[in-house]
Amino acid sequence: MKKPVVYFFHLLSSFFLFSLPLYTASPQSADTLKREAFLEQLQQYNRPHPRPDQRTRNVFSSFERLSFRDSTWEAWQQRTGELPPDFDTLPSLPFLPDPLILNEGDRPTRVESMDQWHEKRAWIKEQVKLLLSGTFPDPPENLTSEILSEHHEGEIRVQTILLTFGSHEKARLTLEVFTPPGKGPHPVFMSQWNHRGWVQIAVRRGYMGVIYAGADVFDETIHYQEVYPGYDWSALMTRAWGAQRAVDYLHTLPEVDKDRIALTGHSRNAKLSILAAAFDPRITALISSSGGTGGEIPYRYTDERHENESIDFLNSIRPQWFHPRLRFFNGREHKLPIDQNSLMALIAPNSLLLSSSIREAGGGDPWAIEQQFESLKKVYDFLGVPEKLGLRFRDGKHAVAARDIEGYIDWLDIQFGRSDKNWENRRYYTYDFTRWKDNRNQLHNSPKQPHTLASLIKNGRTMDPPDFLAWQKEVREALSWTLGVQPEGIAASPIENLSSKSDYLDLLLDRPTVDNGFRRNIAPYNALGDYQHGALYLPEQVQTDYGREKNTKIPVVIYLHKYTNTGFGREMNEFIEGCLAKGMGVLTMDLLGYGSRIEEGTEFYDRYPDWSKMGKMVKDTRDAVRALEQLTFIDKSNIYLAGYALGGTVALITAALEDRAAGVAVASAFTPLREAGPEMEGIKAFSHLYGLVPRWGLFLDQPSAMPVDFPEMLGALLPRPLMVISPELDRHADLDAINTTLANLEKLSDQVGAEYKGMQYIPGGFIRFSKSSQNEMIEWIYQQTKNSNE
């Protein structure tokens, strides 16, 4: 029998929420030598370049232990004896849990009163402490402050403040406070020690600035686990608790506008700032800047197919950031009872701004952030303060610039009533299925009967080739209907040349680089559909004249990326190099709505109301096949399609419609939608979540009536080669249904007298495209190209 997880409930008391302890300000210490030594330490922390005799700073040195008692995950498990929860008894929530639903998964009830909302908030807090933050102490009642130093820069008063609470020598927190001229009360802009430059701009805008020692460069909160050993809080929560102690001090100052205290942080500092604001309503505005996973991005959309930092990735390299129990949900994100939207809902009705980059590798997924925003918007609407929720995207990578800090303060000015400007929440993923359906009136002409492969097999009759070709034609017609009406257009110009020069995409994105070949760019006005860029990677044996003199012809793989808004995933470099090592070229390009084409996808359904995003992706891929056929050094009979997650889905659908594709190899690309249960995204993933194939959503309530599904698409591929990689524990797929589909394909091949050229590889573990899976796919494609030439 599985041992259930032990729940540690530690709710904040009403004392914490509604009353303030008494504080005393002690006179400056008489120990001058001690103070000077401490100030020298502060100066060292603030030096932009360490002295030669100083050791290089390890930015992760403050995260050396999992907890006060445990140095590692294994030590925690051995001490506590905790086992994972019984996942079979937990409800499956493939989509974001609704913060306005009580008991989701078990007779759900919608929150309609404030009493119900407070009940839901209390439950969320318990879950956050259980899974994310751990338990933590109540606010101390004996906090004292000491002014260590004070001077003026112009009319700005600059103070170094030491807060202490209790008798433990490490129960302390250092602040720097920058007070503008005038009596006040002043709004406050607070951040961690490494964000002094942010505060610098805020002070110039009239804010009192505060930084506190809860950052990599200077972290006194690391000792709080030792000060309070009876709690199992994470390292991020200790830093969050430190921010709350800074607020304790601010509430003792008459010059502070206590209704206008803002906290912000970037990256891991954003994660901890969210925890601080979620448990302290005195923080009346929170700006989360590129917090990524554990920040603005929900955990459900951080598995490897999204190219964000997944739970298992963070828990392996930063095990101290979150509570060890979160690790139980590696690969089982849909079993989490809460998500980041639940945590951020605790901040409401206080002001909240989500900010990130639209093209930030590993943590700037605008689609996932907008899913979070949409969920939170329901909460803010329910509370009657929709204007207090904001969204801000920038371009670029992980780092921010002065333009971004100025933008943050613009938003704060609006929230704090210091500006009458209007704030625009600019969106990039505005598609809504209900709105799409309401605007369409031509959907009655759907195919009458589903083209189910399973029923075709059960008929038990042997079809001759003409019958089978007629069935494939019907499948393709039904598939084309689901993709919508492709507008008429003209073909791109033939490829005139391949360029070795950098183009604007090299400045916009980190394109894959290879050591065993070279890249040539395909200009957007050449061949790849409607003004699309492409990059063709070629092996070294293809000479600079692309083999014309030796009449070299090489096979090529069109590799299509996963759900990654940087366009290229981390796995692509190794995959490309692996293909090049086998003498195969690789073509890569961004799909609509991703990478360099994010903006292009925003208004797609307004511009092409009868088409679909998947239809456009398939068209672009088919155009890529035709483009490669124009190159004299490409073996036209060996153009393969390959992809992982979204890319694999596009590859399958394209190959079902495009006979020029010699074969297809995919990983984690599909599950039969008619059989997808409520524990999976299923049809909704394509029709509602990503807006790829809206017409599939018409069959949401009756999936058995779908005119075409993945089994038929695979049947349309026959007799061409097919490789399917289906991880054993992929939470988005029904492995048994996939196995049945592939078995039926083999039977169908026998019925029509065709050789079955299918292969399935089932790696252990969760959804990912590992190096071993890549090698299997590359070797399989290589063998197919060899066989075709023998």
Side-chain angles (χ1 to χ4, degrees):
M1 177 180 294
K2 293 183 179 179
K3 179 181 177 182
V5 173
V6 179
Y7 284 72
F8 295 96
F9 298 147
H10 186 73
L11 295 175
L12 294 178
S13 66
S14 58
F15 173 83
F16 170 69
L17 293 174
F18 301 113
S19 64
L20 292 172
L22 297 176
Y23 302 97
T24 58
S26 63
Q28 292 191 34
S29 171
D31 192 347
T32 306
L33 292 177
K34 178 180 178 181
R35 181 183 307 127
E36 288 180 351
F38 184 72
L39 292 177
E40 169 62 19
Q41 181 187 26
L42 291 182
Q43 291 174 3
Q44 292 180 14
Y45 280 121
N46 286 330
R47 287 192 181 103
H49 302 289
R51 295 182 312 213
D53 60 336
Q54 287 182 306
R55 290 183 299 174
T56 302
R57 177 175 62 86
N58 176 8
V59 297
F60 305 118
S61 62
S62 58
F63 297 125
E64 292 174 349
R65 294 184 62 82
L66 190 68
S67 66
F68 176 67
R69 291 185 177 90
D70 312 303
S71 57
T72 64
W73 156 266
E74 290 77 12
W76 174 79
Q77 278 204 308
Q78 184 175 1
R79 178 178 64 83
T80 63
E82 281 210 35
L83 295 175
D86 185 350
F87 289 107
D88 291 337
T89 65
L90 295 181
S92 296
L93 304 173
F95 305 99
L96 286 182
D98 191 338
L100 295 179
I101 293 290
L102 292 169
N103 305 318
E104 187 164 8
D106 180 21
R107 291 186 297 175
T109 303
R110 179 154 291 278
V111 171
E112 295 180 349
S113 68
M114 290 306 297
D115 286 343
Q116 289 178 317
W117 171 237
H118 291 310
E119 179 185 348
K120 183 60 182 277
R121 289 184 86 254
W123 179 83
I124 293 174
K125 285 182 178 181
E126 293 173 359
Q127 296 301 312
V128 170
K129 291 179 181 180
L130 178 74
L131 298 171
L132 303 177
S133 68
T135 57
F136 49 88
D138 290 332
E141 299 184 20
N142 55 354
L143 186 144
T144 63
S145 63
E146 177 182 354
I147 301 173
L148 297 181
S149 69
E150 180 176 325
H151 68 278
H152 280 76
E153 295 185 18
E155 295 188 39
I156 304 298
R157 185 180 68 196
V158 180
Q159 295 175 307
T160 301
I161 308 293
L162 177 63
L163 305 181
T164 56
F165 35 93
S167 58
H168 198 293
E169 63 177 2
K170 296 179 181 179
R172 58 188 289 164
L173 183 69
T174 303
L175 316 176
E176 273 199 296
V177 181
F178 312 92
T179 307
K183 292 193 308 180
H186 306 291
V188 176
F189 184 95
M190 183 170 73
S191 194
Q192 296 74 35
W193 201 269
N194 58 320
H195 291 326
R196 192 178 193 275
W198 295 28
V199 171
Q200 178 181 343
I201 295 175
V203 170
R204 207 171 294 279
R205 296 276 296 266
Y207 285 75
M208 174 185 282
V210 178
I211 57 174
Y212 73 96
D216 291 340
V217 296
F218 184 21
D219 185 13
E220 291 176 312
T221 71
I222 185 178
H223 304 295
Y224 293 173
Q225 291 178 342
E226 178 184 350
V227 176
Y228 299 98
Y231 300 90
D232 63 345
W233 46 351
S234 65
L236 289 180
M237 191 61 223
T238 62
R239 291 185 176 186
W241 196 82
Q244 295 170 347
R245 306 292 67 80
V247 175
D248 291 345
Y249 171 71
L250 292 173
H251 268 248
T252 68
L253 303 179
E255 60 266 40
V256 168
D257 187 339
K258 298 173 183 61
D259 293 328
R260 293 172 173 83
I261 297 178
L263 175 65
T264 185
H266 185 74
S267 194
R268 76 202 63 176
N269 292 326
K271 305 182 207 297
L272 69 91
S273 296
I274 293 168
L275 289 168
F279 287 100
D280 194 338
R282 300 172 302 167
I283 299 171
T284 55
L286 188 282
I287 301 172
S288 180
S289 175
S290 289
T293 304
E296 309 87 37
I297 299 179
Y299 295 107
R300 277 165 175 77
Y301 306 134
T302 60
D303 53 25
E304 192 188 77
R305 63 182 189 156
H306 285 96
E307 191 62 15
N308 299 312
E309 293 180 330
S310 60
I311 292 177
D312 57 318
F313 178 77
L314 281 183
N315 282 338
S316 62
I317 67 168
R318 311 280 185 265
Q320 303 86 345
W321 281 7
F322 303 104
H323 195 279
R325 290 191 194 97
L326 184 61
R327 187 176 294 207
F328 288 142
F329 292 86
N330 291 354
R332 299 184 181 92
E333 293 84 356
H334 63 307
K335 292 292 186 177
L336 281 167
I338 60 171
D339 212 312
Q340 277 301 103
N341 62 322
S342 313
L343 171 61
M344 283 188 161
L346 298 177
I347 297 173
N350 285 334
S351 300
L352 170 63
L353 179 66
L354 311 181
S355 179
S356 187
S357 168
I358 62 172
R359 271 178 277 268
E360 180 180 334
D365 186 338
W367 175 83
I369 294 170
E370 289 191 25
Q371 295 297 310
Q372 179 116 306
F373 177 82
E374 277 296 304
S375 177
L376 290 169
K377 187 175 182 296
K378 297 176 184 177
V379 176
Y380 278 80
D381 288 344
F382 169 76
L383 296 174
V385 287
E387 71 283 355
K388 289 191 175 183
L389 178 65
L391 183 68
R392 183 184 186 275
F393 286 116
R394 67 180 189 279
D395 213 331
K397 298 183 181 179
H398 189 57
V400 296
R403 61 165 189 186
D404 304 303
I405 312 308
E406 295 282 10
Y408 296 164
I409 299 170
D410 288 343
W411 179 79
L412 281 179
D413 281 348
I414 295 171
Q415 298 301 309
F416 289 167
R418 306 175 82 230
S419 170
D420 58 2
K421 292 182 179 179
N422 293 320
W423 181 265
E424 178 188 1
N425 293 318
R426 184 180 177 186
R427 300 281 303 278
Y428 290 89
Y429 296 89
T430 57
Y431 164 83
D432 177 80
F433 175 77
T434 301
R435 187 170 63 247
W436 172 88
K437 184 178 178 182
D438 291 345
N439 292 338
R440 305 295 174 270
N441 56 17
Q442 84 293 3
L443 299 175
H444 62 279
N445 61 340
S446 61
K448 295 284 189 296
Q449 297 293 330
H451 294 268
T452 55
L453 179 59
S455 64
L456 189 65
I457 297 299
K458 289 176 183 177
N459 285 339
R461 65 186 179 90
T462 300
M463 291 191 299
D464 56 26
D467 288 339
F468 179 59
L469 292 175
W471 179 83
Q472 287 184 316
K473 181 180 178 182
E474 291 178 357
V475 168
R476 289 167 178 168
E477 289 173 352
L479 178 55
S480 296
W481 178 86
T482 66
L483 297 180
V485 180
Q486 177 177 314
E488 293 295 331
I490 59 174
S493 302
I495 296 179
E496 297 175 356
N497 55 51
L498 296 173
S499 174
S500 60
K501 297 180 179 179
S502 296
D503 58 17
Y504 97 101
L505 286 188
D506 292 306
L507 303 176
L508 191 66
L509 301 170
D510 289 330
R511 279 177 152 174
T513 57
V514 295
D515 295 327
N516 60 342
F518 56 97
R519 187 188 77 209
R520 292 293 180 261
N521 299 330
I522 299 177
Y525 45 80
N526 288 149
L528 290 184
D530 301 325
Y531 210 77
Q532 304 305 335
H533 289 258
L536 181 59
Y537 294 83
L538 298 169
E540 293 288 1
Q541 60 264 37
V542 180
Q543 303 300 317
T544 55
D545 63 350
Y546 306 115
R548 290 190 181 94
E549 291 182 1
K550 296 184 177 182
N551 196 29
T552 303
K553 292 194 179 290
I554 64 169
V556 65
V557 180
I558 299 176
Y559 182 81
L560 303 171
H561 61 75
K562 54 190 175 182
Y563 296 91
T564 168
N565 284 282
T566 54
F568 303 118
R570 279 181 285 228
E571 84 280 352
M572 286 192 66
N573 295 54
E574 291 183 342
F575 182 87
I576 294 171
E577 288 187 341
C579 290
L580 295 177
K582 296 289 188 179
M584 301 184 295
V586 180
L587 174 71
T588 64
M589 61 184 186
D590 286 342
L591 296 171
L592 174 73
Y594 295 88
S596 62
R597 303 177 64 185
I598 290 175
E599 298 89 341
E600 181 188 342
T602 300
E603 305 295 334
F604 180 85
Y605 287 105
D606 293 324
R607 295 164 179 162
Y608 304 101
D610 300 324
W611 207 5
S612 69
K613 286 187 174 180
M614 181 63 76
K616 172 62 171 167
M617 294 175 180
V618 169
K619 177 202 174 296
D620 290 341
T621 308
R622 297 180 76 175
D623 286 341
V625 174
R626 293 183 175 90
L628 290 172
E629 288 184 327
Q630 300 175 19
L631 301 175
T632 58
F633 57 91
I634 296 296
D635 182 353
K636 297 179 184 179
S637 65
N638 275 311
I639 299 176
Y640 275 75
L641 303 182
Y644 167 45
L646 171 64
T649 307
V650 176
L652 284 179
I653 296 176
T654 302
L657 297 171
E658 179 56 71
D659 288 330
R660 290 181 173 90
V664 61
V666 299
S668 304
F670 76 97
T671 192
L673 297 177
R674 298 189 188 102
E675 302 175 50
E679 73 279 2
M680 285 181 282
E681 294 171 348
I683 293 174
K684 260 191 165 182
F686 297 94
S687 61
H688 289 61
L689 198 59
Y690 302 103
L692 296 170
V693 193
R695 291 190 178 187
W696 284 352
L698 302 174
F699 306 94
L700 185 62
D701 296 329
Q702 193 179 359
S704 61
M706 286 186 67
V708 66
D709 196 353
F710 286 106
E712 293 83 54
M713 298 180 213
L714 298 180
L717 286 168
L718 295 176
R720 287 172 289 167
L722 166 68
M723 180 187 192
V724 174
I725 298 177
S726 36
E728 186 178 13
L729 300 177
D730 183 351
R731 67 183 174 95
H732 303 290
D734 184 335
L735 183 57
D736 289 339
I738 293 173
N739 293 342
T740 299
T741 294
L742 297 179
N744 286 342
L745 281 181
E746 189 167 4
K747 292 178 183 178
L748 184 60
S749 295
D750 291 340
Q751 285 186 357
V752 298
E755 178 187 359
Y756 180 63
K757 302 175 183 177
M759 174 186 174
Q760 184 183 20
Y761 175 61
I762 305 177
F766 307 115
I767 178 172
R768 56 172 46 93
F769 192 34
S770 64
K771 183 66 178 298
S772 60
S773 293
Q774 293 177 43
N775 290 338
E776 291 282 344
M777 180 181 288
I778 293 167
E779 179 63 26
W780 181 84
I781 296 174
Y782 174 64
Q783 292 299 328
Q784 302 310 307
T785 63
K786 280 184 60 179
N787 293 339
S788 69
N789 290 323
E790 290 178 354

